[in-house]
Amino acid sequence: MDAAGYPAAVERAVTDLSDLHDDPQRLRERVLVLRAQLGDRAAFHELVTLYQERLTYYVHRLVQDWHQSRDILQQVWLDVFRKVGKLQSPGAFRVWL
C-alpha cells in the first residue's frame, strides 16, 4: 500500500486507464481485473465468462482432448484466482492469462 492507503495496483491502474477513453472493452476488462485483485469474486467470475470460451478452444487445440482441456482449464482458473493480485498491470491480463 502507498502512503494514502491504496493498494499499489490501484495506483498503477488509475495511471494505466488514461489511454482508454476510446476503447470501452479494454477499460471494462481493466476495471474487472482491478476489482478481482481487490477480492471481488463477481468481477473474477466476469473475467472467467469473458475468456472461458476463447481459452477453451485454445487449450483444446493444444491437447486435442475435451476432458483433458476441462481439467487444464480448471487448474488455470484456480491459478489465476490465486495469483491475479500479483499482476502488475491490469492491462496485461490477456497476455498474462
PDB file of all heavy atoms in Angstrom, residues 26-56:
ATOM      1  N   ARG A  26     -11.635  -2.615 -23.366  1.00  0.00           N
ATOM      2  CA  ARG A  26     -10.372  -2.707 -22.624  1.00  0.00           C
ATOM      3  C   ARG A  26     -10.496  -2.052 -21.258  1.00  0.00           C
ATOM      4  O   ARG A  26      -9.954  -2.546 -20.272  1.00  0.00           O
ATOM      5  CB  ARG A  26      -9.237  -2.068 -23.419  1.00  0.00           C
ATOM      6  CG  ARG A  26      -8.805  -2.930 -24.597  1.00  0.00           C
ATOM      7  CD  ARG A  26      -7.657  -2.327 -25.355  1.00  0.00           C
ATOM      8  NE  ARG A  26      -6.502  -2.170 -24.483  1.00  0.00           N
ATOM      9  CZ  ARG A  26      -5.575  -1.216 -24.637  1.00  0.00           C
ATOM     10  NH1 ARG A  26      -5.679  -0.342 -25.607  1.00  0.00           N
ATOM     11  NH2 ARG A  26      -4.548  -1.153 -23.833  1.00  0.00           N
ATOM     12  N   LEU A  27     -11.215  -0.943 -21.195  1.00  0.00           N
ATOM     13  CA  LEU A  27     -11.445  -0.274 -19.915  1.00  0.00           C
ATOM     14  C   LEU A  27     -12.211  -1.201 -18.971  1.00  0.00           C
ATOM     15  O   LEU A  27     -11.833  -1.379 -17.814  1.00  0.00           O
ATOM     16  CB  LEU A  27     -12.208   1.032 -20.124  1.00  0.00           C
ATOM     17  CG  LEU A  27     -12.601   1.784 -18.861  1.00  0.00           C
ATOM     18  CD1 LEU A  27     -11.364   2.189 -18.069  1.00  0.00           C
ATOM     19  CD2 LEU A  27     -13.442   2.997 -19.214  1.00  0.00           C
ATOM     20  N   ARG A  28     -13.272  -1.813 -19.471  1.00  0.00           N
ATOM     21  CA  ARG A  28     -14.075  -2.731 -18.659  1.00  0.00           C
ATOM     22  C   ARG A  28     -13.211  -3.876 -18.137  1.00  0.00           C
ATOM     23  O   ARG A  28     -13.279  -4.246 -16.963  1.00  0.00           O
ATOM     24  CB  ARG A  28     -15.233  -3.283 -19.486  1.00  0.00           C
ATOM     25  CG  ARG A  28     -16.077  -4.283 -18.744  1.00  0.00           C
ATOM     26  CD  ARG A  28     -17.295  -4.691 -19.581  1.00  0.00           C
ATOM     27  NE  ARG A  28     -18.024  -5.723 -18.904  1.00  0.00           N
ATOM     28  CZ  ARG A  28     -18.047  -6.994 -19.282  1.00  0.00           C
ATOM     29  NH1 ARG A  28     -17.393  -7.383 -20.354  1.00  0.00           N
ATOM     30  NH2 ARG A  28     -18.732  -7.895 -18.603  1.00  0.00           N
ATOM     31  N   GLU A  29     -12.379  -4.443 -19.010  1.00  0.00           N
ATOM     32  CA  GLU A  29     -11.507  -5.542 -18.610  1.00  0.00           C
ATOM     33  C   GLU A  29     -10.549  -5.110 -17.498  1.00  0.00           C
ATOM     34  O   GLU A  29     -10.367  -5.820 -16.512  1.00  0.00           O
ATOM     35  CB  GLU A  29     -10.722  -6.036 -19.813  1.00  0.00           C
ATOM     36  CG  GLU A  29      -9.755  -7.151 -19.496  1.00  0.00           C
ATOM     37  CD  GLU A  29      -8.949  -7.541 -20.701  1.00  0.00           C
ATOM     38  OE1 GLU A  29      -9.557  -7.950 -21.718  1.00  0.00           O
ATOM     39  OE2 GLU A  29      -7.714  -7.418 -20.655  1.00  0.00           O
ATOM     40  N   ARG A  30      -9.952  -3.955 -17.650  1.00  0.00           N
ATOM     41  CA  ARG A  30      -9.010  -3.483 -16.630  1.00  0.00           C
ATOM     42  C   ARG A  30      -9.687  -3.226 -15.296  1.00  0.00           C
ATOM     43  O   ARG A  30      -9.142  -3.529 -14.243  1.00  0.00           O
ATOM     44  CB  ARG A  30      -8.284  -2.228 -17.108  1.00  0.00           C
ATOM     45  CG  ARG A  30      -7.289  -2.535 -18.193  1.00  0.00           C
ATOM     46  CD  ARG A  30      -6.502  -1.323 -18.572  1.00  0.00           C
ATOM     47  NE  ARG A  30      -5.682  -1.585 -19.743  1.00  0.00           N
ATOM     48  CZ  ARG A  30      -4.822  -0.744 -20.228  1.00  0.00           C
ATOM     49  NH1 ARG A  30      -4.650   0.431 -19.672  1.00  0.00           N
ATOM     50  NH2 ARG A  30      -4.122  -1.052 -21.294  1.00  0.00           N
ATOM     51  N   VAL A  31     -10.882  -2.687 -15.348  1.00  0.00           N
ATOM     52  CA  VAL A  31     -11.630  -2.448 -14.116  1.00  0.00           C
ATOM     53  C   VAL A  31     -11.980  -3.784 -13.454  1.00  0.00           C
ATOM     54  O   VAL A  31     -11.862  -3.937 -12.233  1.00  0.00           O
ATOM     55  CB  VAL A  31     -12.887  -1.595 -14.381  1.00  0.00           C
ATOM     56  CG1 VAL A  31     -13.804  -1.570 -13.165  1.00  0.00           C
ATOM     57  CG2 VAL A  31     -12.492  -0.191 -14.790  1.00  0.00           C
ATOM     58  N   LEU A  32     -12.375  -4.771 -14.252  1.00  0.00           N
ATOM     59  CA  LEU A  32     -12.673  -6.096 -13.700  1.00  0.00           C
ATOM     60  C   LEU A  32     -11.433  -6.711 -13.050  1.00  0.00           C
ATOM     61  O   LEU A  32     -11.516  -7.310 -11.977  1.00  0.00           O
ATOM     62  CB  LEU A  32     -13.204  -7.029 -14.791  1.00  0.00           C
ATOM     63  CG  LEU A  32     -14.615  -6.762 -15.278  1.00  0.00           C
ATOM     64  CD1 LEU A  32     -14.943  -7.639 -16.481  1.00  0.00           C
ATOM     65  CD2 LEU A  32     -15.623  -6.973 -14.164  1.00  0.00           C
ATOM     66  N   VAL A  33     -10.294  -6.560 -13.696  1.00  0.00           N
ATOM     67  CA  VAL A  33      -9.053  -7.088 -13.131  1.00  0.00           C
ATOM     68  C   VAL A  33      -8.749  -6.401 -11.809  1.00  0.00           C
ATOM     69  O   VAL A  33      -8.415  -7.048 -10.812  1.00  0.00           O
ATOM     70  CB  VAL A  33      -7.873  -6.942 -14.117  1.00  0.00           C
ATOM     71  CG1 VAL A  33      -6.553  -7.289 -13.443  1.00  0.00           C
ATOM     72  CG2 VAL A  33      -8.089  -7.827 -15.336  1.00  0.00           C
ATOM     73  N   LEU A  34      -8.882  -5.095 -11.787  1.00  0.00           N
ATOM     74  CA  LEU A  34      -8.652  -4.347 -10.545  1.00  0.00           C
ATOM     75  C   LEU A  34      -9.570  -4.824  -9.435  1.00  0.00           C
ATOM     76  O   LEU A  34      -9.128  -5.048  -8.309  1.00  0.00           O
ATOM     77  CB  LEU A  34      -8.910  -2.860 -10.769  1.00  0.00           C
ATOM     78  CG  LEU A  34      -7.736  -2.024 -11.170  1.00  0.00           C
ATOM     79  CD1 LEU A  34      -8.197  -0.614 -11.436  1.00  0.00           C
ATOM     80  CD2 LEU A  34      -6.693  -2.045 -10.085  1.00  0.00           C
ATOM     81  N   ARG A  35     -10.837  -4.970  -9.753  1.00  0.00           N
ATOM     82  CA  ARG A  35     -11.792  -5.431  -8.752  1.00  0.00           C
ATOM     83  C   ARG A  35     -11.436  -6.831  -8.273  1.00  0.00           C
ATOM     84  O   ARG A  35     -11.508  -7.120  -7.080  1.00  0.00           O
ATOM     85  CB  ARG A  35     -13.210  -5.386  -9.316  1.00  0.00           C
ATOM     86  CG  ARG A  35     -13.741  -3.968  -9.468  1.00  0.00           C
ATOM     87  CD  ARG A  35     -15.107  -3.906 -10.132  1.00  0.00           C
ATOM     88  NE  ARG A  35     -16.021  -4.907  -9.637  1.00  0.00           N
ATOM     89  CZ  ARG A  35     -17.052  -5.370 -10.342  1.00  0.00           C
ATOM     90  NH1 ARG A  35     -17.288  -4.921 -11.573  1.00  0.00           N
ATOM     91  NH2 ARG A  35     -17.856  -6.280  -9.826  1.00  0.00           N
ATOM     92  N   ALA A  36     -11.043  -7.706  -9.212  1.00  0.00           N
ATOM     93  CA  ALA A  36     -10.646  -9.067  -8.840  1.00  0.00           C
ATOM     94  C   ALA A  36      -9.415  -9.035  -7.945  1.00  0.00           C
ATOM     95  O   ALA A  36      -9.315  -9.802  -6.982  1.00  0.00           O
ATOM     96  CB  ALA A  36     -10.382  -9.899 -10.094  1.00  0.00           C
ATOM     97  N   GLN A  37      -8.484  -8.136  -8.226  1.00  0.00           N
ATOM     98  CA  GLN A  37      -7.289  -8.009  -7.394  1.00  0.00           C
ATOM     99  C   GLN A  37      -7.638  -7.579  -5.978  1.00  0.00           C
ATOM    100  O   GLN A  37      -6.913  -7.889  -5.038  1.00  0.00           O
ATOM    101  CB  GLN A  37      -6.308  -7.011  -8.012  1.00  0.00           C
ATOM    102  CG  GLN A  37      -5.627  -7.547  -9.245  1.00  0.00           C
ATOM    103  CD  GLN A  37      -4.666  -6.553  -9.856  1.00  0.00           C
ATOM    104  OE1 GLN A  37      -4.971  -5.359  -9.959  1.00  0.00           O
ATOM    105  NE2 GLN A  37      -3.519  -7.041 -10.268  1.00  0.00           N
ATOM    106  N   LEU A  38      -8.736  -6.880  -5.830  1.00  0.00           N
ATOM    107  CA  LEU A  38      -9.177  -6.427  -4.518  1.00  0.00           C
ATOM    108  C   LEU A  38     -10.092  -7.443  -3.830  1.00  0.00           C
ATOM    109  O   LEU A  38     -10.642  -7.172  -2.771  1.00  0.00           O
ATOM    110  CB  LEU A  38      -9.879  -5.073  -4.638  1.00  0.00           C
ATOM    111  CG  LEU A  38      -8.980  -3.930  -5.096  1.00  0.00           C
ATOM    112  CD1 LEU A  38      -9.807  -2.681  -5.386  1.00  0.00           C
ATOM    113  CD2 LEU A  38      -7.904  -3.639  -4.070  1.00  0.00           C
ATOM    114  N   GLY A  39     -10.266  -8.614  -4.470  1.00  0.00           N
ATOM    115  CA  GLY A  39     -11.036  -9.689  -3.853  1.00  0.00           C
ATOM    116  C   GLY A  39     -12.480  -9.794  -4.282  1.00  0.00           C
ATOM    117  O   GLY A  39     -13.250 -10.556  -3.699  1.00  0.00           O
ATOM    118  N   ASP A  40     -12.887  -9.066  -5.296  1.00  0.00           N
ATOM    119  CA  ASP A  40     -14.274  -9.090  -5.770  1.00  0.00           C
ATOM    120  C   ASP A  40     -14.503 -10.347  -6.612  1.00  0.00           C
ATOM    121  O   ASP A  40     -14.051 -10.441  -7.751  1.00  0.00           O
ATOM    122  CB  ASP A  40     -14.535  -7.828  -6.592  1.00  0.00           C
ATOM    123  CG  ASP A  40     -15.974  -7.697  -7.045  1.00  0.00           C
ATOM    124  OD1 ASP A  40     -16.678  -8.722  -7.175  1.00  0.00           O
ATOM    125  OD2 ASP A  40     -16.396  -6.555  -7.303  1.00  0.00           O
ATOM    126  N   ARG A  41     -15.203 -11.311  -6.050  1.00  0.00           N
ATOM    127  CA  ARG A  41     -15.435 -12.591  -6.742  1.00  0.00           C
ATOM    128  C   ARG A  41     -16.346 -12.441  -7.952  1.00  0.00           C
ATOM    129  O   ARG A  41     -16.204 -13.165  -8.930  1.00  0.00           O
ATOM    130  CB  ARG A  41     -15.991 -13.620  -5.774  1.00  0.00           C
ATOM    131  CG  ARG A  41     -14.950 -14.077  -4.782  1.00  0.00           C
ATOM    132  CD  ARG A  41     -15.486 -15.115  -3.849  1.00  0.00           C
ATOM    133  NE  ARG A  41     -14.441 -15.504  -2.917  1.00  0.00           N
ATOM    134  CZ  ARG A  41     -14.359 -16.681  -2.390  1.00  0.00           C
ATOM    135  NH1 ARG A  41     -15.260 -17.597  -2.664  1.00  0.00           N
ATOM    136  NH2 ARG A  41     -13.376 -16.965  -1.554  1.00  0.00           N
ATOM    137  N   ALA A  42     -17.287 -11.520  -7.892  1.00  0.00           N
ATOM    138  CA  ALA A  42     -18.172 -11.294  -9.039  1.00  0.00           C
ATOM    139  C   ALA A  42     -17.364 -10.786 -10.243  1.00  0.00           C
ATOM    140  O   ALA A  42     -17.612 -11.192 -11.373  1.00  0.00           O
ATOM    141  CB  ALA A  42     -19.279 -10.301  -8.682  1.00  0.00           C
ATOM    142  N   ALA A  43     -16.391  -9.927  -9.982  1.00  0.00           N
ATOM    143  CA  ALA A  43     -15.539  -9.424 -11.061  1.00  0.00           C
ATOM    144  C   ALA A  43     -14.702 -10.559 -11.633  1.00  0.00           C
ATOM    145  O   ALA A  43     -14.536 -10.660 -12.855  1.00  0.00           O
ATOM    146  CB  ALA A  43     -14.631  -8.309 -10.542  1.00  0.00           C
ATOM    147  N   PHE A  44     -14.186 -11.424 -10.763  1.00  0.00           N
ATOM    148  CA  PHE A  44     -13.423 -12.569 -11.242  1.00  0.00           C
ATOM    149  C   PHE A  44     -14.304 -13.462 -12.111  1.00  0.00           C
ATOM    150  O   PHE A  44     -13.887 -13.913 -13.181  1.00  0.00           O
ATOM    151  CB  PHE A  44     -12.835 -13.367 -10.074  1.00  0.00           C
ATOM    152  CG  PHE A  44     -12.000 -14.517 -10.536  1.00  0.00           C
ATOM    153  CD1 PHE A  44     -10.698 -14.308 -10.969  1.00  0.00           C
ATOM    154  CD2 PHE A  44     -12.516 -15.801 -10.569  1.00  0.00           C
ATOM    155  CE1 PHE A  44      -9.926 -15.373 -11.427  1.00  0.00           C
ATOM    156  CE2 PHE A  44     -11.759 -16.862 -11.024  1.00  0.00           C
ATOM    157  CZ  PHE A  44     -10.460 -16.653 -11.449  1.00  0.00           C
ATOM    158  N   HIS A  45     -15.526 -13.692 -11.675  1.00  0.00           N
ATOM    159  CA  HIS A  45     -16.461 -14.507 -12.466  1.00  0.00           C
ATOM    160  C   HIS A  45     -16.697 -13.885 -13.846  1.00  0.00           C
ATOM    161  O   HIS A  45     -16.766 -14.600 -14.849  1.00  0.00           O
ATOM    162  CB  HIS A  45     -17.781 -14.672 -11.713  1.00  0.00           C
ATOM    163  CG  HIS A  45     -18.789 -15.465 -12.460  1.00  0.00           C
ATOM    164  ND1 HIS A  45     -18.717 -16.833 -12.605  1.00  0.00           N
ATOM    165  CD2 HIS A  45     -19.877 -15.074 -13.143  1.00  0.00           C
ATOM    166  CE1 HIS A  45     -19.724 -17.244 -13.340  1.00  0.00           C
ATOM    167  NE2 HIS A  45     -20.446 -16.197 -13.676  1.00  0.00           N
ATOM    168  N   GLU A  46     -16.814 -12.577 -13.902  1.00  0.00           N
ATOM    169  CA  GLU A  46     -16.984 -11.901 -15.194  1.00  0.00           C
ATOM    170  C   GLU A  46     -15.763 -12.097 -16.092  1.00  0.00           C
ATOM    171  O   GLU A  46     -15.897 -12.282 -17.305  1.00  0.00           O
ATOM    172  CB  GLU A  46     -17.259 -10.413 -15.008  1.00  0.00           C
ATOM    173  CG  GLU A  46     -18.657 -10.120 -14.517  1.00  0.00           C
ATOM    174  CD  GLU A  46     -18.940  -8.633 -14.486  1.00  0.00           C
ATOM    175  OE1 GLU A  46     -18.792  -7.976 -15.544  1.00  0.00           O
ATOM    176  OE2 GLU A  46     -19.301  -8.130 -13.405  1.00  0.00           O
ATOM    177  N   LEU A  47     -14.570 -12.075 -15.512  1.00  0.00           N
ATOM    178  CA  LEU A  47     -13.359 -12.325 -16.295  1.00  0.00           C
ATOM    179  C   LEU A  47     -13.364 -13.746 -16.848  1.00  0.00           C
ATOM    180  O   LEU A  47     -13.019 -13.972 -18.012  1.00  0.00           O
ATOM    181  CB  LEU A  47     -12.105 -12.096 -15.455  1.00  0.00           C
ATOM    182  CG  LEU A  47     -11.771 -10.652 -15.140  1.00  0.00           C
ATOM    183  CD1 LEU A  47     -10.677 -10.576 -14.083  1.00  0.00           C
ATOM    184  CD2 LEU A  47     -11.344  -9.917 -16.407  1.00  0.00           C
ATOM    185  N   VAL A  48     -13.774 -14.697 -16.015  1.00  0.00           N
ATOM    186  CA  VAL A  48     -13.878 -16.084 -16.481  1.00  0.00           C
ATOM    187  C   VAL A  48     -14.857 -16.157 -17.646  1.00  0.00           C
ATOM    188  O   VAL A  48     -14.574 -16.768 -18.684  1.00  0.00           O
ATOM    189  CB  VAL A  48     -14.300 -17.037 -15.339  1.00  0.00           C
ATOM    190  CG1 VAL A  48     -14.600 -18.432 -15.880  1.00  0.00           C
ATOM    191  CG2 VAL A  48     -13.232 -17.091 -14.259  1.00  0.00           C
ATOM    192  N   THR A  49     -16.001 -15.515 -17.491  1.00  0.00           N
ATOM    193  CA  THR A  49     -17.013 -15.510 -18.544  1.00  0.00           C
ATOM    194  C   THR A  49     -16.469 -14.896 -19.839  1.00  0.00           C
ATOM    195  O   THR A  49     -16.712 -15.413 -20.925  1.00  0.00           O
ATOM    196  CB  THR A  49     -18.273 -14.752 -18.081  1.00  0.00           C
ATOM    197  OG1 THR A  49     -18.784 -15.395 -16.910  1.00  0.00           O
ATOM    198  CG2 THR A  49     -19.329 -14.731 -19.152  1.00  0.00           C
ATOM    199  N   LEU A  50     -15.712 -13.819 -19.710  1.00  0.00           N
ATOM    200  CA  LEU A  50     -15.145 -13.165 -20.894  1.00  0.00           C
ATOM    201  C   LEU A  50     -14.160 -14.050 -21.650  1.00  0.00           C
ATOM    202  O   LEU A  50     -14.096 -14.015 -22.875  1.00  0.00           O
ATOM    203  CB  LEU A  50     -14.418 -11.885 -20.495  1.00  0.00           C
ATOM    204  CG  LEU A  50     -15.233 -10.638 -20.271  1.00  0.00           C
ATOM    205  CD1 LEU A  50     -14.345  -9.522 -19.734  1.00  0.00           C
ATOM    206  CD2 LEU A  50     -15.892 -10.205 -21.562  1.00  0.00           C
ATOM    207  N   TYR A  51     -13.386 -14.840 -20.926  1.00  0.00           N
ATOM    208  CA  TYR A  51     -12.285 -15.577 -21.545  1.00  0.00           C
ATOM    209  C   TYR A  51     -12.486 -17.079 -21.648  1.00  0.00           C
ATOM    210  O   TYR A  51     -11.715 -17.754 -22.337  1.00  0.00           O
ATOM    211  CB  TYR A  51     -10.982 -15.299 -20.786  1.00  0.00           C
ATOM    212  CG  TYR A  51     -10.450 -13.949 -21.100  1.00  0.00           C
ATOM    213  CD1 TYR A  51     -10.653 -12.879 -20.241  1.00  0.00           C
ATOM    214  CD2 TYR A  51      -9.766 -13.719 -22.289  1.00  0.00           C
ATOM    215  CE1 TYR A  51     -10.181 -11.618 -20.556  1.00  0.00           C
ATOM    216  CE2 TYR A  51      -9.294 -12.462 -22.603  1.00  0.00           C
ATOM    217  CZ  TYR A  51      -9.505 -11.423 -21.731  1.00  0.00           C
ATOM    218  OH  TYR A  51      -9.046 -10.167 -22.046  1.00  0.00           O
ATOM    219  N   GLN A  52     -13.492 -17.626 -21.007  1.00  0.00           N
ATOM    220  CA  GLN A  52     -13.646 -19.081 -20.953  1.00  0.00           C
ATOM    221  C   GLN A  52     -13.737 -19.731 -22.337  1.00  0.00           C
ATOM    222  O   GLN A  52     -13.030 -20.696 -22.608  1.00  0.00           O
ATOM    223  CB  GLN A  52     -14.875 -19.452 -20.118  1.00  0.00           C
ATOM    224  CG  GLN A  52     -15.093 -20.939 -19.952  1.00  0.00           C
ATOM    225  CD  GLN A  52     -14.041 -21.604 -19.079  1.00  0.00           C
ATOM    226  OE1 GLN A  52     -13.311 -20.962 -18.342  1.00  0.00           O
ATOM    227  NE2 GLN A  52     -13.963 -22.911 -19.163  1.00  0.00           N
ATOM    228  N   GLU A  53     -14.583 -19.233 -23.189  1.00  0.00           N
ATOM    229  CA  GLU A  53     -14.767 -19.867 -24.498  1.00  0.00           C
ATOM    230  C   GLU A  53     -13.484 -19.813 -25.326  1.00  0.00           C
ATOM    231  O   GLU A  53     -13.046 -20.823 -25.880  1.00  0.00           O
ATOM    232  CB  GLU A  53     -15.910 -19.186 -25.251  1.00  0.00           C
ATOM    233  CG  GLU A  53     -16.218 -19.875 -26.573  1.00  0.00           C
ATOM    234  CD  GLU A  53     -17.417 -19.256 -27.260  1.00  0.00           C
ATOM    235  OE1 GLU A  53     -18.239 -18.593 -26.589  1.00  0.00           O
ATOM    236  OE2 GLU A  53     -17.521 -19.433 -28.483  1.00  0.00           O
ATOM    237  N   ARG A  54     -12.877 -18.654 -25.385  1.00  0.00           N
ATOM    238  CA  ARG A  54     -11.652 -18.480 -26.157  1.00  0.00           C
ATOM    239  C   ARG A  54     -10.524 -19.370 -25.626  1.00  0.00           C
ATOM    240  O   ARG A  54      -9.797 -20.017 -26.375  1.00  0.00           O
ATOM    241  CB  ARG A  54     -11.240 -17.003 -26.095  1.00  0.00           C
ATOM    242  CG  ARG A  54     -10.291 -16.578 -27.146  1.00  0.00           C
ATOM    243  CD  ARG A  54     -10.026 -15.089 -27.089  1.00  0.00           C
ATOM    244  NE  ARG A  54     -11.114 -14.303 -26.504  1.00  0.00           N
ATOM    245  CZ  ARG A  54     -11.061 -13.013 -26.276  1.00  0.00           C
ATOM    246  NH1 ARG A  54      -9.979 -12.338 -26.577  1.00  0.00           N
ATOM    247  NH2 ARG A  54     -12.054 -12.367 -25.744  1.00  0.00           N
ATOM    248  N   LEU A  55     -10.409 -19.402 -24.304  1.00  0.00           N
ATOM    249  CA  LEU A  55      -9.368 -20.202 -23.679  1.00  0.00           C
ATOM    250  C   LEU A  55      -9.635 -21.698 -23.844  1.00  0.00           C
ATOM    251  O   LEU A  55      -8.712 -22.486 -24.050  1.00  0.00           O
ATOM    252  CB  LEU A  55      -9.268 -19.834 -22.197  1.00  0.00           C
ATOM    253  CG  LEU A  55      -8.000 -20.181 -21.457  1.00  0.00           C
ATOM    254  CD1 LEU A  55      -6.766 -19.643 -22.168  1.00  0.00           C
ATOM    255  CD2 LEU A  55      -8.062 -19.648 -20.042  1.00  0.00           C
ATOM    256  N   THR A  56     -10.898 -22.081 -23.799  1.00  0.00           N
ATOM    257  CA  THR A  56     -11.261 -23.486 -24.000  1.00  0.00           C
ATOM    258  C   THR A  56     -10.805 -23.966 -25.367  1.00  0.00           C
ATOM    259  O   THR A  56     -10.190 -25.035 -25.491  1.00  0.00           O
ATOM    260  CB  THR A  56     -12.779 -23.684 -23.851  1.00  0.00           C
ATOM    261  OG1 THR A  56     -13.162 -23.337 -22.515  1.00  0.00           O
ATOM    262  CG2 THR A  56     -13.189 -25.114 -24.137  1.00  0.00           C
TER     263      THR A  56
END
